[in-house]
Amino acid sequence: MSRLGSVVVLVLVFAGGWCLCAADVGDFTPCLQFFYRSWPPKGLPGTPICQRYSNQYRFATLYSRPRRSPWFSAYLYTTPEGKRPSASWKFEPQLAYPGADGNMIPFPPGPPDQNVVDSQAVELDYINSTYTRGHLNPSLHHQSHEDRSATFTLTNVVPQKAGSNDGPWEALEQTVNKTLAAYCVGEAYVVTGIIPYQSEERWLKNHRVAVPEYIWSAYCCPHYNNSLPEELKDAFPTYAAIGRNDCNSTEEIVPVDKAAKKKFRGYDVRRMPLETLEMYLKDRFSTIISVFYERCSGSD
Ligand SMILES: *[C@@H]1O[C@H](CO)[C@@H](O)[C@H](O)[C@H]1NC(C)=O
Ligand SMILES: *[C@@H]1O[C@H](CO)[C@@H](O)[C@H](O)[C@H]1NC(C)=O
Ligand SMILES: *[C@@H]1O[C@H](CO)[C@@H](O)[C@H](O)[C@H]1NC(C)=O
Ligand SMILES: *[C@@H]1O[C@H](CO)[C@@H](O)[C@H](O)[C@H]1NC(C)=O
């Protein structure tokens, strides 16, 4: 009886915790506008975060607490203007304290609070590691200064090799920028996520933050300009890509261009239809992953 009682109390406390923070952690309801047809990707378990900055929702992230890194971030593309901001890195107080304000805040100078360190990645995890901070939602896909600054939260970041981040992956982000800016007429919904290693997880130096083997991205632009040039005929309404994050990975998913510059060799990006991406995701996660409602068939 007392055991049952404590279970009930525990469940209530737990449920209460989730309810308190439901506005920003644990529920995508307040930020469904970042998903095509208000339909978040299906198949991945994790902690939903509605990414709030300056009291506005900016994008959405499915976060993995055990990995201290995101599964994916979802956002609306807006044509960028101006330069990348020199924004300060931020964290999510509500991951550490369920009742906290849901706005991300810059890391204060000095050692961070232990509850923050326990609940998420901190700057020290990345400093002197052999990985850069790879944005899933990149600052260069946004127009407003605030939307760009909001991407600088470590919950939107995965350990990414410089050969990918400064090479083929950056080129992909720029190509998507040009393509969407030129031919997407209405909203463009983007989801960018990761594929973990198959057998054994890899971690940043302190064994706190998991390293992905691949990074993937897909967009859905239901309304586009029909006079597409030949090379972009298969790029609408939806398109996807997978990028290598480990130059030693096998080549079944993404082949390596042996003639690439040494700095970028082994970090290739392969463009592919959404169906092909979802096939690789299903293989690796052993479950069906659906990125967009009805695969962004545009039937609306
Ligand atoms: C990073 O490495 C440099 C050079 O080895 C060292 O001086 C510095 O203290 C290290 N920083 C941290 C935070 O470990
Ligand atoms: C993104 O696209 C816009 C519109 O074509 C262009 O003005 C801007 O320079 C592009 N940004 C980057 C970083 O390529
Ligand atoms: C569609 O693209 C063509 C060719 O680039 C351009 O001339 C036309 O203005 C575009 N139409 C719209 C509605 O953006
Ligand atoms: C790839 O393998 C080489 C040789 O074993 C090793 O030196 C290097 O650190 C590995 N690179 C990565 C990214 O794991």
Side-chain angles (χ1 to χ4, degrees):
M1 190 60 196
S2 73
R3 211 170 133 185
L4 181 64
S6 60
V7 168
V8 169
V9 168
L10 204 93
V11 167
L12 286 178
V13 167
F14 206 58
W18 285 117
C19 293
L20 263 180
C21 54
D24 300 286
V25 174
D27 190 355
F28 279 138
T29 305
C31 55
L32 288 174
Q33 68 268 31
F34 300 112
F35 301 101
Y36 174 57
R37 298 287 194 96
S38 304
W39 197 89
K42 299 288 179 281
L44 289 168
T47 301
I49 300 178
C50 285
Q51 298 279 11
R52 188 140 58 102
Y53 177 60
S54 272
N55 281 320
Q56 264 185 47
Y57 291 116
R58 308 288 171 173
F59 61 103
T61 295
L62 188 69
Y63 194 64
S64 167
R65 287 179 180 268
R67 302 169 63 82
R68 292 197 185 82
S69 55
W71 287 119
F72 65 73
S73 285
Y75 58 95
L76 281 161
Y77 165 88
T78 47
T79 311
E81 280 161 3
K83 287 209 153 39
R84 176 182 165 120
S86 52
S88 48
W89 286 96
K90 301 173 205 63
F91 69 98
E92 311 284 332
Q94 76 279 26
L95 283 176
Y97 297 99
D101 183 319
N103 282 298
M104 58 178 81
I105 49 181
F107 284 104
D113 173 306
Q114 192 58 39
N115 283 359
V116 171
V117 175
D118 289 344
S119 62
Q120 56 203 287
V122 295
E123 291 186 287
L124 217 46
D125 288 314
Y126 284 88
I127 292 169
N128 286 354
S129 77
T130 58
Y131 289 85
T132 65
R133 301 170 205 195
H135 283 76
L136 293 186
N137 171 8
S139 103
L140 83 83
H141 284 178
H142 299 282
Q143 191 158 59
S144 83
H145 182 76
E146 286 73 24
D147 283 353
R148 289 173 155 230
S149 297
T151 66
F152 288 78
T153 166
L154 287 184
T155 55
N156 177 45
V157 157
V158 295
Q160 186 177 12
K161 280 289 179 191
S164 161
N165 204 359
D166 303 337
W169 192 260
E170 189 183 19
L172 173 76
E173 289 174 343
Q174 286 179 0
T175 306
V176 168
N177 172 46
K178 296 227 158 64
T179 305
L180 293 177
Y183 296 101
C184 189
V185 178
E187 310 278 31
Y189 301 86
V190 189
V191 182
T192 299
I194 64 100
I195 301 181
Y197 282 88
Q198 178 115 51
S199 41
E200 220 179 315
E201 290 281 15
R202 314 259 176 115
W203 302 85
L204 286 187
K205 53 190 173 134
N206 299 330
H207 213 271
R208 285 170 35 84
V209 179
V211 171
E213 184 173 9
Y214 297 94
I215 303 179
W216 58 267
S217 185
Y219 65 74
C220 165
C221 164
H223 302 286
Y224 53 94
N225 183 336
N226 277 311
S227 33
L228 291 171
E230 199 53 41
E231 71 273 15
L232 290 179
K233 287 261 192 293
D234 61 357
F236 286 93
T238 180
Y239 206 54
I242 299 180
R244 300 169 62 96
N245 193 36
D246 182 339
C247 56
N248 296 331
S249 292
T250 59
E251 296 189 50
E252 284 109 32
I253 302 180
V254 185
V256 168
D257 173 6
K258 310 281 190 298
K261 270 201 202 144
K262 187 150 184 289
K263 203 172 145 198
F264 304 131
R265 199 178 303 151
Y267 295 106
D268 306 64
V269 169
R270 176 180 156 201
R271 325 231 162 169
M272 58 183 71
L274 178 64
E275 286 83 343
T276 311
L277 167 66
E278 289 186 343
M279 181 196 77
Y280 286 119
L281 294 177
K282 177 167 176 257
D283 269 7
R284 186 59 61 98
F285 287 98
S286 303
T287 186
I288 292 174
I289 312 277
S290 302
V291 180
F292 297 115
Y293 176 77
E294 290 189 347
R295 282 198 176 137
C296 183
S297 55
S299 51
D300 60 358

